[in-house]
C-alpha cells in the first residue's frame, strides 16, 4: 500500500531531476500537535519518492511562534519550511518574506482547498501557505456525564447553559472537572480562546478608530464570566493549560466539556489514546444571544521563507504533505477519522468521511466563522481570535499574560483590564494608529 502512494506522489510532484540526485535536505519547523507528529511518521514515503531528506524541528506552540518570527524577520535562514497560520501568512506575504505558492501542479488541485482556508492564507489573491489542516472551534463533551446530570446539550448552546452544565457535571471527589478551557499565556493559546469568547459577549479589541476597548463593560463581562465558571468547575492550575494540556485531561476522563479546536475531535474519539472515546458528543461553540458565536478560524499551514536555498524541494514537500494523496495515505493506514481535517472541499464530499461523527460539525463551525465580521460592533480589523495587524502578536502576548495572572489569582479582573488598556493604547499610539 505504501508503494502505491509513493508512486502516485512521485508522478504528481514536479521536481527537478538533479534535486534527487544530490541527497538534498530540508529543515521544517512545526508545532507539536498530533496531526503534525503523525505527518513526521510518514516522511520516509516522501523521501523514497523524491530523494529529499527532511529534518524536523518540533516545538511547543508559543516557542514555535517565537522561533519562526525571529528567523523570518532577521533572515536567519534556519528553516526551509515554516508552520504558520492565518495571522502571519498575509502579513509576511505582503512584506515579501514568503515564497508565493504559484505554479503548483495540476494534480495538486489548488481549487479544492476550502475557500475559507485559501482566503486566509493569501495576500491580494496569491497563496503564500498551504493548509495542512484547517479548524474552527466547537464544544466536545461527555455524553455520559451530560446524561447523568439530567441535561441535554443543544446543537447551538448559550454560555449560560454551558456554565450550568459545567457545574452539574463537576465531581471533585472523582477528579472530574465540568469544563476545561485554555488559560495559558500566549496570543495564540489562552489569548486566542478569550478573544473568540469575548466576541460573543459583544467585546472587541479596537473600535473603528483603533482605540483599545478593554475599558468597556463587555470585556469585564467576558473575563468575570470566564473566571467564575472556571473557578467553580474548571481544573486546578487552569492558568497554565493550553491545547495539549486540556487534550490530555479530556482523554483521561477529567473533563465534562472542552471548547477548543475542531481538530481535537479525532484525538478525543480515538480509543487508542482516549479513555472516553465512546462517549463524546459535539456542539457549536456557545453564544450569548448577540449574534456571534465563540468559534474561531485557523489553519496550521506550510510556507516557504524567501531566501531559502531549497525552494524547489520545499515546494515538493508542501505538495506532498497537503495533497489529496496524503489524506488517502493516512485514511488507508489509520482510518478516515484520523486524516488532517478542514482543508479540502473534496474531503467533505467523500462518502466515507461523511460517516465520521464530527465531520459535519467541524465543517459547520468552519463555515460559520466570519473573519471579516468577527464582532457584534464594527471593527477596522480582520480576524476572529486575532486582529490581522503586525503589532497584534506582541500586544496580545502581553495582554494574555495579564489575563493569565488573573486566572492564577495574582490580580483582579479590573487590574488586568486597566493594564491591558494602558499598554495597548501606548503601543498603538507608538505604531502610528
Amino acid at each position: 500500500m505504501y508503494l502505491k502512494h509513493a508512486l502516485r506522489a512521485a508522478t504528481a510532484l514536479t521536481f527537478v531531476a538533479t534535486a534527487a540526485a544530490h541527497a538534498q535536505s530540508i529543515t521544517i519547523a512545526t508545532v507539536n500537535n498530533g496531526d503534525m507528529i503523525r505527518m513526521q511518521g510518514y516522511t520516509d514515503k516522501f523521501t523514497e519518492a523524491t530523494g529529499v531528506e527532511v529534518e524536523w524541528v518540533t516545538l511547543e506552540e508559543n516557542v514555535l511562534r517565537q522561533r519562526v518570527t525571529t528567523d523570518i524577520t532577521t533572515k536567519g535562514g534556519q528553516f526551509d519550511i515554516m508552520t504558520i497560520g492565518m495571522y502571519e501568512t498575509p502579513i509576511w506575504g505582503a512584506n515579501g518574506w514568503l515564497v508565493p505558492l504559484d505554479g503548483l501542479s495540476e494534480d495538486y488541485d489548488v481549487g479544492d482547498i476550502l475557500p475559507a482556508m485559501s482566503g486566509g492564507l493569501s495576500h491580494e489573491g496569491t497563496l503564500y501557505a498551504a493548509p495542512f489542516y484547517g479548524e474552527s472551534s466547537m464544544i466536545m463533551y461527555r455524553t455520559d456525564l451530560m446524561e447523568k446530570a439530567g441535561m441535554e446539550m443543544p446543537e447551538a448552546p448559550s454560555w449560560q447553559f454551558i456554565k450550568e452544565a459545567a457545574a452539574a457535571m463537576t465531581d471533585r471527589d472523582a477528579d472530574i472537572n465540568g469544563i476545561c478551557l485554555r488559560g495559558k499565556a500566549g496570543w495564540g493559546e489562552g489569548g486566542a480562546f478569550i478573544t473568540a469568547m469575548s466576541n460573543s459577549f459583544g467585546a472587541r479589541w479596537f473600535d473603528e478608530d483603533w482605540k483599545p476597548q478593554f475599558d468597556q463593560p463587555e470585556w469585564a463581562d467576558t473575563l468575570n464570566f470566564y473566571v467564575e465558571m472556571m473557578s467553580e468547575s474548571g481544573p486546578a492550575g487552569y492558568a497554565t493549560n493550553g491545547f495539549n494540556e486540556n487534550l490530555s485531561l479530556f482523554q483521561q476522563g477529567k473533563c465534562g466539556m472542552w471548547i477548543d479546536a475542531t481538530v481535537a475531535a479525532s484525538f478525543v474519539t480515538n480509543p487508542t489514546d482516549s479513555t472516553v472515546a465512546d462517549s463524546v458528543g459535539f456542539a457549536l461553540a456557545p453564544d450569548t444571544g448577540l449574534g456571534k458565536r465563540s468559534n474561531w478560524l485557523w489553519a496550521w499551514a506550510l510556507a516557504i521563507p524567501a531566501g531559502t536555498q531549497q525552494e524547489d524541494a520545499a515546494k515538493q514537500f508542501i505538495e506532498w504533505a497537503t495533497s489529496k494523496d496524503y489524506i488517502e495515505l493516512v485514511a488507508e493506514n489509520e482510518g478516515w477519522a484520523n486524516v488532517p481535517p478542514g482543508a479540502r472541499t473534496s474531503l467533505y464530499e467523500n462518502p466515507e468521511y461523511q460517516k465520521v461523527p464530527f465531520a459535519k460539525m467541524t465543517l459547520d463551525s468552519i463555515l460559520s466563522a466570519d473573519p471579516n465580521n468577527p464582532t457584534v460592533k464594527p471593527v477596522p480589523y480582520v480576524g476572529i481570535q486575532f486582529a490581522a495587524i503586525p503589532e497584534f502578536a506582541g500586544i496580545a502576548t502581553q495582554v494574555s499574560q495579564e489575563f493569565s495572572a488573573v486566572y492564577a489569582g495574582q490580580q483582579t479582573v479590573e487590574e488586568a483590564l486597566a493594564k491591558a488598556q494602558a499598554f495597548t493604547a501606548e503601543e498603538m499610539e507608538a505604531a502610528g494608529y
Side-chain angles (χ1 to χ4, degrees), residues 259-281:
I259 304 171
D260 212 299
T262 52
V263 72
S266 67
F267 300 109
V268 298
T269 56
N270 186 338
T272 302
D273 303 312
S274 176
T275 62
V276 296
D278 60 350
S279 57
V280 181

Side-chain angles (χ1 to χ4, degrees), residues 309-371:
Q309 301 302 304
Q310 307 292 345
E311 180 178 323
D312 289 342
K315 279 190 175 180
Q316 293 172 47
F317 184 86
I318 287 177
E319 280 212 31
W320 173 79
T322 64
S323 67
K324 298 176 186 178
D325 283 345
Y326 176 83
I327 290 174
E328 291 184 11
L329 174 63
V330 175
E332 189 170 309
N333 290 282
E334 303 187 42
W336 280 103
N338 294 308
V339 305
R344 287 186 169 271
T345 300
S346 57
L347 178 63
Y348 292 91
E349 295 173 344
N350 186 310
E352 292 302 312
Y353 194 69
Q354 289 173 356
K355 298 175 185 176
V356 174
F358 50 81
K360 184 179 185 302
M361 187 60 68
T362 295
L363 184 61
D364 289 346
S365 298
I366 289 173
L367 295 180
S368 69
D370 185 0

Side-chain angles (χ1 to χ4, degrees), residues 5 9 12 25 28 35 57 134 145 158 163 200 238 251-252 262 302 304 308 336 362-363 367-368 378 383-384 409 412:
H5 285 287
S25 177
I28 305 176
D35 282 292
V57 178
L145 294 182
S158 68
K163 184 180 180 185
S200 69
Y238 71 88
Q251 288 178 322
Q252 293 172 45
T262 52
L302 304 180
I304 304 170
T308 176
W336 280 103
T362 295
L363 184 61
L367 295 180
S368 69
I384 298 175
T412 66

Side-chain angles (χ1 to χ4, degrees), residues 4-32:
K4 178 185 74 172
H5 285 287
L7 291 173
R8 289 173 65 184
T11 58
L13 294 169
T14 55
F15 61 90
V16 182
T18 54
H22 289 90
Q24 279 183 297
S25 177
I26 57 174
T27 301
I28 305 176
T30 195
V31 67
N32 63 340

Side-chain angles (χ1 to χ4, degrees), residues 160-200:
Q160 187 58 40
F161 174 87
I162 294 301
K163 184 180 180 185
E164 293 171 3
M169 297 165 82
T170 297
D171 185 345
R172 298 299 189 197
D173 292 337
D175 199 17
I176 295 174
N177 309 285
I179 191 161
C180 295
L181 300 174
R182 299 188 195 190
K184 189 176 188 177
W187 74 260
E189 275 279 12
F193 179 85
I194 201 68
T195 295
M197 179 178 177
S198 77
N199 293 337
S200 69

